[in-house]
Amino acid sequence: MNRVVAFGEIMGRLAAPRFQRFRQAMPGSLEMTFAGAEATVAVNIAQLGGQAAFVTALPEHAIADACIANLASTGVDTSHMVRTGNGRLGLYFLESGVDQRPYEVVYDRQGSSVAITPADAYDWNAIFDGAAWFHFTGITPALSANAAHVTRVALAEASRRGVRVSMDMNYRSKLWNWSPPQTARELARQTIAELLPQIDVFIGGLDDASELLGVRAAADALDPPGDVARQLGERYPRLTHVAMSLRESISATQTRWGGMLYVCKADEAFRAPVVEGRYQPYAIMQIIDRLGTGDAFAAGLIFALLTPELAAPQTAVEFAVAAGCLAHSIEGDFNFSTRAEIESLAGGAAGGRVRR
């Protein structure tokens, strides 16, 4: 059974209408959806036909009920979510970027239920029963000292059961503030260093590796992502794969998008997309929504590695990159692309022709 368990926070996402600044949109209406990195991965895997459970803690009120119902409607198993009288539903506010104006995110998530609920509130035996994969991100331990502790417990529970573990670094400097006078970077570096020895699949970017782990490509490296991945594999022997999305930002609404998957044992890096034997990133000329695209890449990779016909490294990275590419075209954090659409794009159907 290839069941994926994801643990983290889900929030209300309040977005200003298309390209409006906060000062234009408020007072007025904001578009409300639900989002969160690990929840997004679970939803995306379920949409692809996989089995995914999302674990978190939420308060006991009607908005949290709506949140759970929304997740369940996508096919995600919500039966292990803890309801509590303590804490709140976290929020984040989004102002979409356009051209040279960047995206802006304002967090309002301090004291959320998942940040304060203790580890013994979760039924880890039930959560990991039949699980094949555990996924979390660097966002969750950033929320609070308690959330970092619960993440360590969840990781230990997964590891002792032989469950494969993936972590997406997702460094968010605005969140790492629970241990003053340590800086955000110092606290993140210390906390993440405790988790990495128990990880099988590392997902992150070159900036994550250099800022938090001090791993940088050699000055003369012909393949900087591959060189960094090789160093990570040498430093953390449990790693089987290192994956990186490769983004070349042109503006807030245009980007070039690709990815790399490094197989540690084989010491070989695979890139996608590949055209006539050469790496050639997708040219995304009109981003509809950038948030959640990295989670789509992570979900695509996990799904591919758990699916025998997609698990070969080149096929897996092609699938993951295509999933992330299509997520740029969908409003909201969740990627509602189908497996067939992703496989079609990965197979070269990138023209966007009308399907009749």
PDB file of all heavy atoms in Angstrom, residues 63-98:
ATOM      1  N   ILE A  63     -15.446  27.103  10.776  1.00  0.00           N
ATOM      2  CA  ILE A  63     -14.516  27.358   9.673  1.00  0.00           C
ATOM      3  C   ILE A  63     -13.538  26.198   9.535  1.00  0.00           C
ATOM      4  O   ILE A  63     -13.218  25.764   8.426  1.00  0.00           O
ATOM      5  CB  ILE A  63     -13.773  28.693   9.887  1.00  0.00           C
ATOM      6  CG1 ILE A  63     -14.775  29.847   9.929  1.00  0.00           C
ATOM      7  CG2 ILE A  63     -12.764  28.920   8.757  1.00  0.00           C
ATOM      8  CD1 ILE A  63     -14.150  31.194  10.238  1.00  0.00           C
ATOM      9  N   ALA A  64     -13.080  25.659  10.666  1.00  0.00           N
ATOM     10  CA  ALA A  64     -12.225  24.479  10.607  1.00  0.00           C
ATOM     11  C   ALA A  64     -12.994  23.288  10.040  1.00  0.00           C
ATOM     12  O   ALA A  64     -12.429  22.466   9.305  1.00  0.00           O
ATOM     13  CB  ALA A  64     -11.684  24.152  11.998  1.00  0.00           C
ATOM     14  N   ASP A  65     -14.296  23.189  10.356  1.00  0.00           N
ATOM     15  CA  ASP A  65     -15.128  22.143   9.751  1.00  0.00           C
ATOM     16  C   ASP A  65     -15.114  22.271   8.225  1.00  0.00           C
ATOM     17  O   ASP A  65     -14.999  21.280   7.503  1.00  0.00           O
ATOM     18  CB  ASP A  65     -16.574  22.240  10.242  1.00  0.00           C
ATOM     19  CG  ASP A  65     -16.736  21.911  11.716  1.00  0.00           C
ATOM     20  OD1 ASP A  65     -15.815  21.313  12.303  1.00  0.00           O
ATOM     21  OD2 ASP A  65     -17.797  22.263  12.271  1.00  0.00           O
ATOM     22  N   ALA A  66     -15.257  23.505   7.750  1.00  0.00           N
ATOM     23  CA  ALA A  66     -15.256  23.740   6.303  1.00  0.00           C
ATOM     24  C   ALA A  66     -13.904  23.384   5.692  1.00  0.00           C
ATOM     25  O   ALA A  66     -13.838  22.844   4.582  1.00  0.00           O
ATOM     26  CB  ALA A  66     -15.599  25.203   6.014  1.00  0.00           C
ATOM     27  N   CYS A  67     -12.838  23.673   6.418  1.00  0.00           N
ATOM     28  CA  CYS A  67     -11.494  23.344   5.957  1.00  0.00           C
ATOM     29  C   CYS A  67     -11.343  21.831   5.778  1.00  0.00           C
ATOM     30  O   CYS A  67     -10.849  21.350   4.741  1.00  0.00           O
ATOM     31  CB  CYS A  67     -10.474  23.884   6.958  1.00  0.00           C
ATOM     32  SG  CYS A  67      -8.765  23.468   6.567  1.00  0.00           S
ATOM     33  N   ILE A  68     -11.763  21.085   6.778  1.00  0.00           N
ATOM     34  CA  ILE A  68     -11.663  19.618   6.713  1.00  0.00           C
ATOM     35  C   ILE A  68     -12.524  19.074   5.577  1.00  0.00           C
ATOM     36  O   ILE A  68     -12.104  18.182   4.826  1.00  0.00           O
ATOM     37  CB  ILE A  68     -12.054  19.000   8.063  1.00  0.00           C
ATOM     38  CG1 ILE A  68     -11.033  19.409   9.136  1.00  0.00           C
ATOM     39  CG2 ILE A  68     -12.140  17.488   7.966  1.00  0.00           C
ATOM     40  CD1 ILE A  68     -11.439  19.016  10.539  1.00  0.00           C
ATOM     41  N   ALA A  69     -13.719  19.608   5.437  1.00  0.00           N
ATOM     42  CA  ALA A  69     -14.603  19.153   4.366  1.00  0.00           C
ATOM     43  C   ALA A  69     -13.983  19.428   3.000  1.00  0.00           C
ATOM     44  O   ALA A  69     -14.103  18.616   2.072  1.00  0.00           O
ATOM     45  CB  ALA A  69     -15.966  19.828   4.482  1.00  0.00           C
ATOM     46  N   ASN A  70     -13.321  20.574   2.875  1.00  0.00           N
ATOM     47  CA  ASN A  70     -12.663  20.909   1.614  1.00  0.00           C
ATOM     48  C   ASN A  70     -11.565  19.910   1.284  1.00  0.00           C
ATOM     49  O   ASN A  70     -11.460  19.415   0.155  1.00  0.00           O
ATOM     50  CB  ASN A  70     -12.097  22.328   1.694  1.00  0.00           C
ATOM     51  CG  ASN A  70     -11.342  22.737   0.449  1.00  0.00           C
ATOM     52  OD1 ASN A  70     -10.175  23.109   0.515  1.00  0.00           O
ATOM     53  ND2 ASN A  70     -11.981  22.695  -0.706  1.00  0.00           N
ATOM     54  N   LEU A  71     -10.733  19.559   2.277  1.00  0.00           N
ATOM     55  CA  LEU A  71      -9.682  18.573   2.057  1.00  0.00           C
ATOM     56  C   LEU A  71     -10.277  17.207   1.715  1.00  0.00           C
ATOM     57  O   LEU A  71      -9.827  16.530   0.789  1.00  0.00           O
ATOM     58  CB  LEU A  71      -8.797  18.448   3.288  1.00  0.00           C
ATOM     59  CG  LEU A  71      -7.746  19.524   3.530  1.00  0.00           C
ATOM     60  CD1 LEU A  71      -6.944  19.188   4.777  1.00  0.00           C
ATOM     61  CD2 LEU A  71      -6.819  19.663   2.350  1.00  0.00           C
ATOM     62  N   ALA A  72     -11.277  16.803   2.478  1.00  0.00           N
ATOM     63  CA  ALA A  72     -11.886  15.488   2.250  1.00  0.00           C
ATOM     64  C   ALA A  72     -12.494  15.396   0.853  1.00  0.00           C
ATOM     65  O   ALA A  72     -12.472  14.328   0.228  1.00  0.00           O
ATOM     66  CB  ALA A  72     -12.942  15.210   3.319  1.00  0.00           C
ATOM     67  N   SER A  73     -13.012  16.499   0.341  1.00  0.00           N
ATOM     68  CA  SER A  73     -13.644  16.484  -0.983  1.00  0.00           C
ATOM     69  C   SER A  73     -12.640  16.222  -2.093  1.00  0.00           C
ATOM     70  O   SER A  73     -13.019  15.829  -3.199  1.00  0.00           O
ATOM     71  CB  SER A  73     -14.359  17.814  -1.240  1.00  0.00           C
ATOM     72  OG  SER A  73     -13.422  18.862  -1.474  1.00  0.00           O
ATOM     73  N   THR A  74     -11.357  16.427  -1.817  1.00  0.00           N
ATOM     74  CA  THR A  74     -10.320  16.178  -2.818  1.00  0.00           C
ATOM     75  C   THR A  74      -9.806  14.740  -2.769  1.00  0.00           C
ATOM     76  O   THR A  74      -8.962  14.362  -3.587  1.00  0.00           O
ATOM     77  CB  THR A  74      -9.127  17.126  -2.625  1.00  0.00           C
ATOM     78  OG1 THR A  74      -8.446  16.805  -1.400  1.00  0.00           O
ATOM     79  CG2 THR A  74      -9.567  18.576  -2.606  1.00  0.00           C
ATOM     80  N   GLY A  75     -10.269  13.961  -1.791  1.00  0.00           N
ATOM     81  CA  GLY A  75      -9.831  12.582  -1.658  1.00  0.00           C
ATOM     82  C   GLY A  75      -8.799  12.345  -0.578  1.00  0.00           C
ATOM     83  O   GLY A  75      -8.331  11.221  -0.401  1.00  0.00           O
ATOM     84  N   VAL A  76      -8.446  13.382   0.173  1.00  0.00           N
ATOM     85  CA  VAL A  76      -7.465  13.240   1.246  1.00  0.00           C
ATOM     86  C   VAL A  76      -8.120  12.626   2.477  1.00  0.00           C
ATOM     87  O   VAL A  76      -9.244  12.986   2.850  1.00  0.00           O
ATOM     88  CB  VAL A  76      -6.856  14.612   1.607  1.00  0.00           C
ATOM     89  CG1 VAL A  76      -5.982  14.529   2.856  1.00  0.00           C
ATOM     90  CG2 VAL A  76      -6.029  15.137   0.430  1.00  0.00           C
ATOM     91  N   ASP A  77      -7.410  11.708   3.127  1.00  0.00           N
ATOM     92  CA  ASP A  77      -7.858  11.110   4.393  1.00  0.00           C
ATOM     93  C   ASP A  77      -7.638  12.126   5.511  1.00  0.00           C
ATOM     94  O   ASP A  77      -6.499  12.507   5.806  1.00  0.00           O
ATOM     95  CB  ASP A  77      -7.066   9.832   4.648  1.00  0.00           C
ATOM     96  CG  ASP A  77      -7.400   9.174   5.989  1.00  0.00           C
ATOM     97  OD1 ASP A  77      -8.295   9.647   6.703  1.00  0.00           O
ATOM     98  OD2 ASP A  77      -6.725   8.174   6.325  1.00  0.00           O
ATOM     99  N   THR A  78      -8.719  12.573   6.127  1.00  0.00           N
ATOM    100  CA  THR A  78      -8.640  13.573   7.198  1.00  0.00           C
ATOM    101  C   THR A  78      -8.937  12.969   8.566  1.00  0.00           C
ATOM    102  O   THR A  78      -9.109  13.703   9.545  1.00  0.00           O
ATOM    103  CB  THR A  78      -9.635  14.717   6.931  1.00  0.00           C
ATOM    104  OG1 THR A  78     -10.974  14.177   6.891  1.00  0.00           O
ATOM    105  CG2 THR A  78      -9.346  15.399   5.601  1.00  0.00           C
ATOM    106  N   SER A  79      -8.967  11.649   8.647  1.00  0.00           N
ATOM    107  CA  SER A  79      -9.426  10.999   9.876  1.00  0.00           C
ATOM    108  C   SER A  79      -8.452  11.131  11.033  1.00  0.00           C
ATOM    109  O   SER A  79      -8.831  10.885  12.189  1.00  0.00           O
ATOM    110  CB  SER A  79      -9.703   9.511   9.610  1.00  0.00           C
ATOM    111  OG  SER A  79      -8.523   8.818   9.223  1.00  0.00           O
ATOM    112  N   HIS A  80      -7.205  11.510  10.776  1.00  0.00           N
ATOM    113  CA  HIS A  80      -6.213  11.612  11.845  1.00  0.00           C
ATOM    114  C   HIS A  80      -5.953  13.062  12.273  1.00  0.00           C
ATOM    115  O   HIS A  80      -5.015  13.318  13.027  1.00  0.00           O
ATOM    116  CB  HIS A  80      -4.908  10.960  11.404  1.00  0.00           C
ATOM    117  CG  HIS A  80      -5.071   9.533  10.980  1.00  0.00           C
ATOM    118  ND1 HIS A  80      -5.427   8.534  11.860  1.00  0.00           N
ATOM    119  CD2 HIS A  80      -4.959   8.945   9.758  1.00  0.00           C
ATOM    120  CE1 HIS A  80      -5.512   7.383  11.205  1.00  0.00           C
ATOM    121  NE2 HIS A  80      -5.234   7.618   9.934  1.00  0.00           N
ATOM    122  N   MET A  81      -6.778  13.980  11.825  1.00  0.00           N
ATOM    123  CA  MET A  81      -6.627  15.372  12.225  1.00  0.00           C
ATOM    124  C   MET A  81      -7.193  15.552  13.626  1.00  0.00           C
ATOM    125  O   MET A  81      -8.288  15.094  13.926  1.00  0.00           O
ATOM    126  CB  MET A  81      -7.317  16.284  11.211  1.00  0.00           C
ATOM    127  CG  MET A  81      -6.671  16.209   9.831  1.00  0.00           C
ATOM    128  SD  MET A  81      -7.598  17.022   8.512  1.00  0.00           S
ATOM    129  CE  MET A  81      -7.407  18.741   8.953  1.00  0.00           C
ATOM    130  N   VAL A  82      -6.444  16.216  14.479  1.00  0.00           N
ATOM    131  CA  VAL A  82      -6.818  16.412  15.881  1.00  0.00           C
ATOM    132  C   VAL A  82      -7.643  17.681  16.005  1.00  0.00           C
ATOM    133  O   VAL A  82      -7.272  18.736  15.486  1.00  0.00           O
ATOM    134  CB  VAL A  82      -5.554  16.502  16.762  1.00  0.00           C
ATOM    135  CG1 VAL A  82      -5.910  16.892  18.193  1.00  0.00           C
ATOM    136  CG2 VAL A  82      -4.790  15.185  16.729  1.00  0.00           C
ATOM    137  N   ARG A  83      -8.775  17.589  16.695  1.00  0.00           N
ATOM    138  CA  ARG A  83      -9.585  18.770  17.000  1.00  0.00           C
ATOM    139  C   ARG A  83      -9.341  19.150  18.456  1.00  0.00           C
ATOM    140  O   ARG A  83      -9.321  18.303  19.343  1.00  0.00           O
ATOM    141  CB  ARG A  83     -11.075  18.490  16.777  1.00  0.00           C
ATOM    142  CG  ARG A  83     -11.419  17.977  15.391  1.00  0.00           C
ATOM    143  CD  ARG A  83     -10.972  18.924  14.274  1.00  0.00           C
ATOM    144  NE  ARG A  83     -11.646  20.207  14.309  1.00  0.00           N
ATOM    145  CZ  ARG A  83     -12.838  20.453  13.772  1.00  0.00           C
ATOM    146  NH1 ARG A  83     -13.502  19.471  13.170  1.00  0.00           N
ATOM    147  NH2 ARG A  83     -13.377  21.664  13.811  1.00  0.00           N
ATOM    148  N   THR A  84      -9.170  20.425  18.691  1.00  0.00           N
ATOM    149  CA  THR A  84      -8.797  20.885  20.017  1.00  0.00           C
ATOM    150  C   THR A  84      -9.488  22.196  20.339  1.00  0.00           C
ATOM    151  O   THR A  84      -9.816  22.989  19.450  1.00  0.00           O
ATOM    152  CB  THR A  84      -7.260  21.069  20.102  1.00  0.00           C
ATOM    153  OG1 THR A  84      -6.923  21.650  21.363  1.00  0.00           O
ATOM    154  CG2 THR A  84      -6.740  21.964  18.987  1.00  0.00           C
ATOM    155  N   GLY A  85      -9.677  22.427  21.624  1.00  0.00           N
ATOM    156  CA  GLY A  85     -10.240  23.688  22.072  1.00  0.00           C
ATOM    157  C   GLY A  85      -9.192  24.774  22.201  1.00  0.00           C
ATOM    158  O   GLY A  85      -9.524  25.925  22.526  1.00  0.00           O
ATOM    159  N   ASN A  86      -7.952  24.429  21.950  1.00  0.00           N
ATOM    160  CA  ASN A  86      -6.857  25.400  22.083  1.00  0.00           C
ATOM    161  C   ASN A  86      -6.340  25.828  20.705  1.00  0.00           C
ATOM    162  O   ASN A  86      -6.328  25.044  19.767  1.00  0.00           O
ATOM    163  CB  ASN A  86      -5.696  24.785  22.871  1.00  0.00           C
ATOM    164  CG  ASN A  86      -6.094  24.401  24.273  1.00  0.00           C
ATOM    165  OD1 ASN A  86      -6.797  25.156  24.950  1.00  0.00           O
ATOM    166  ND2 ASN A  86      -5.670  23.224  24.711  1.00  0.00           N
ATOM    167  N   GLY A  87      -5.909  27.062  20.649  1.00  0.00           N
ATOM    168  CA  GLY A  87      -5.309  27.565  19.422  1.00  0.00           C
ATOM    169  C   GLY A  87      -6.329  28.063  18.421  1.00  0.00           C
ATOM    170  O   GLY A  87      -7.528  28.192  18.711  1.00  0.00           O
ATOM    171  N   ARG A  88      -5.849  28.316  17.219  1.00  0.00           N
ATOM    172  CA  ARG A  88      -6.662  28.953  16.190  1.00  0.00           C
ATOM    173  C   ARG A  88      -6.276  28.440  14.812  1.00  0.00           C
ATOM    174  O   ARG A  88      -5.294  27.718  14.654  1.00  0.00           O
ATOM    175  CB  ARG A  88      -6.433  30.474  16.230  1.00  0.00           C
ATOM    176  CG  ARG A  88      -4.968  30.869  16.092  1.00  0.00           C
ATOM    177  CD  ARG A  88      -4.779  32.372  16.225  1.00  0.00           C
ATOM    178  NE  ARG A  88      -5.241  33.058  15.036  1.00  0.00           N
ATOM    179  CZ  ARG A  88      -4.442  33.555  14.092  1.00  0.00           C
ATOM    180  NH1 ARG A  88      -3.129  33.437  14.211  1.00  0.00           N
ATOM    181  NH2 ARG A  88      -4.931  34.152  13.047  1.00  0.00           N
ATOM    182  N   LEU A  89      -7.073  28.795  13.833  1.00  0.00           N
ATOM    183  CA  LEU A  89      -6.748  28.529  12.441  1.00  0.00           C
ATOM    184  C   LEU A  89      -5.828  29.634  11.949  1.00  0.00           C
ATOM    185  O   LEU A  89      -6.180  30.821  11.997  1.00  0.00           O
ATOM    186  CB  LEU A  89      -8.028  28.493  11.597  1.00  0.00           C
ATOM    187  CG  LEU A  89      -7.836  28.326  10.085  1.00  0.00           C
ATOM    188  CD1 LEU A  89      -7.383  26.910   9.748  1.00  0.00           C
ATOM    189  CD2 LEU A  89      -9.128  28.655   9.343  1.00  0.00           C
ATOM    190  N   GLY A  90      -4.641  29.270  11.522  1.00  0.00           N
ATOM    191  CA  GLY A  90      -3.725  30.263  10.991  1.00  0.00           C
ATOM    192  C   GLY A  90      -4.239  30.854   9.687  1.00  0.00           C
ATOM    193  O   GLY A  90      -5.049  30.247   8.975  1.00  0.00           O
ATOM    194  N   LEU A  91      -3.750  32.045   9.367  1.00  0.00           N
ATOM    195  CA  LEU A  91      -4.145  32.745   8.146  1.00  0.00           C
ATOM    196  C   LEU A  91      -2.898  33.257   7.430  1.00  0.00           C
ATOM    197  O   LEU A  91      -1.877  33.512   8.055  1.00  0.00           O
ATOM    198  CB  LEU A  91      -5.039  33.944   8.461  1.00  0.00           C
ATOM    199  CG  LEU A  91      -6.335  33.705   9.244  1.00  0.00           C
ATOM    200  CD1 LEU A  91      -6.972  35.042   9.607  1.00  0.00           C
ATOM    201  CD2 LEU A  91      -7.302  32.832   8.461  1.00  0.00           C
ATOM    202  N   TYR A  92      -3.025  33.396   6.111  1.00  0.00           N
ATOM    203  CA  TYR A  92      -2.036  34.224   5.423  1.00  0.00           C
ATOM    204  C   TYR A  92      -2.730  35.029   4.340  1.00  0.00           C
ATOM    205  O   TYR A  92      -3.740  34.604   3.773  1.00  0.00           O
ATOM    206  CB  TYR A  92      -0.855  33.411   4.899  1.00  0.00           C
ATOM    207  CG  TYR A  92      -1.000  32.690   3.584  1.00  0.00           C
ATOM    208  CD1 TYR A  92      -0.740  33.335   2.374  1.00  0.00           C
ATOM    209  CD2 TYR A  92      -1.345  31.346   3.544  1.00  0.00           C
ATOM    210  CE1 TYR A  92      -0.818  32.657   1.170  1.00  0.00           C
ATOM    211  CE2 TYR A  92      -1.423  30.657   2.346  1.00  0.00           C
ATOM    212  CZ  TYR A  92      -1.163  31.333   1.151  1.00  0.00           C
ATOM    213  OH  TYR A  92      -1.247  30.647  -0.032  1.00  0.00           O
ATOM    214  N   PHE A  93      -2.210  36.194   4.121  1.00  0.00           N
ATOM    215  CA  PHE A  93      -2.789  37.150   3.181  1.00  0.00           C
ATOM    216  C   PHE A  93      -1.854  37.257   1.983  1.00  0.00           C
ATOM    217  O   PHE A  93      -0.639  37.385   2.139  1.00  0.00           O
ATOM    218  CB  PHE A  93      -2.966  38.519   3.844  1.00  0.00           C
ATOM    219  CG  PHE A  93      -3.930  38.508   5.014  1.00  0.00           C
ATOM    220  CD1 PHE A  93      -3.513  38.104   6.270  1.00  0.00           C
ATOM    221  CD2 PHE A  93      -5.254  38.892   4.837  1.00  0.00           C
ATOM    222  CE1 PHE A  93      -4.390  38.084   7.339  1.00  0.00           C
ATOM    223  CE2 PHE A  93      -6.138  38.876   5.908  1.00  0.00           C
ATOM    224  CZ  PHE A  93      -5.710  38.474   7.163  1.00  0.00           C
ATOM    225  N   LEU A  94      -2.432  37.229   0.799  1.00  0.00           N
ATOM    226  CA  LEU A  94      -1.638  37.186  -0.430  1.00  0.00           C
ATOM    227  C   LEU A  94      -1.972  38.345  -1.346  1.00  0.00           C
ATOM    228  O   LEU A  94      -3.138  38.614  -1.643  1.00  0.00           O
ATOM    229  CB  LEU A  94      -1.902  35.866  -1.175  1.00  0.00           C
ATOM    230  CG  LEU A  94      -1.296  35.756  -2.575  1.00  0.00           C
ATOM    231  CD1 LEU A  94       0.229  35.766  -2.504  1.00  0.00           C
ATOM    232  CD2 LEU A  94      -1.798  34.505  -3.281  1.00  0.00           C
ATOM    233  N   GLU A  95      -0.924  39.012  -1.789  1.00  0.00           N
ATOM    234  CA  GLU A  95      -1.012  40.025  -2.834  1.00  0.00           C
ATOM    235  C   GLU A  95      -0.208  39.496  -4.018  1.00  0.00           C
ATOM    236  O   GLU A  95       1.009  39.324  -3.923  1.00  0.00           O
ATOM    237  CB  GLU A  95      -0.428  41.342  -2.314  1.00  0.00           C
ATOM    238  CG  GLU A  95      -0.476  42.495  -3.282  1.00  0.00           C
ATOM    239  CD  GLU A  95       0.194  43.734  -2.690  1.00  0.00           C
ATOM    240  OE1 GLU A  95      -0.448  44.443  -1.881  1.00  0.00           O
ATOM    241  OE2 GLU A  95       1.381  43.979  -3.016  1.00  0.00           O
ATOM    242  N   SER A  96      -0.883  39.173  -5.106  1.00  0.00           N
ATOM    243  CA  SER A  96      -0.193  38.580  -6.253  1.00  0.00           C
ATOM    244  C   SER A  96       0.698  39.601  -6.939  1.00  0.00           C
ATOM    245  O   SER A  96       0.320  40.761  -7.124  1.00  0.00           O
ATOM    246  CB  SER A  96      -1.212  38.037  -7.269  1.00  0.00           C
ATOM    247  OG  SER A  96      -1.918  36.948  -6.721  1.00  0.00           O
ATOM    248  N   GLY A  97       1.882  39.155  -7.310  1.00  0.00           N
ATOM    249  CA  GLY A  97       2.799  40.010  -8.044  1.00  0.00           C
ATOM    250  C   GLY A  97       2.487  40.015  -9.520  1.00  0.00           C
ATOM    251  O   GLY A  97       1.795  39.143 -10.047  1.00  0.00           O
ATOM    252  N   VAL A  98       3.022  40.977 -10.204  1.00  0.00           N
ATOM    253  CA  VAL A  98       2.876  41.064 -11.657  1.00  0.00           C
ATOM    254  C   VAL A  98       4.077  41.833 -12.201  1.00  0.00           C
ATOM    255  O   VAL A  98       4.548  42.802 -11.595  1.00  0.00           O
ATOM    256  CB  VAL A  98       1.549  41.749 -12.051  1.00  0.00           C
ATOM    257  CG1 VAL A  98       1.488  43.178 -11.544  1.00  0.00           C
ATOM    258  CG2 VAL A  98       1.322  41.699 -13.556  1.00  0.00           C
TER     259      VAL A  98
END
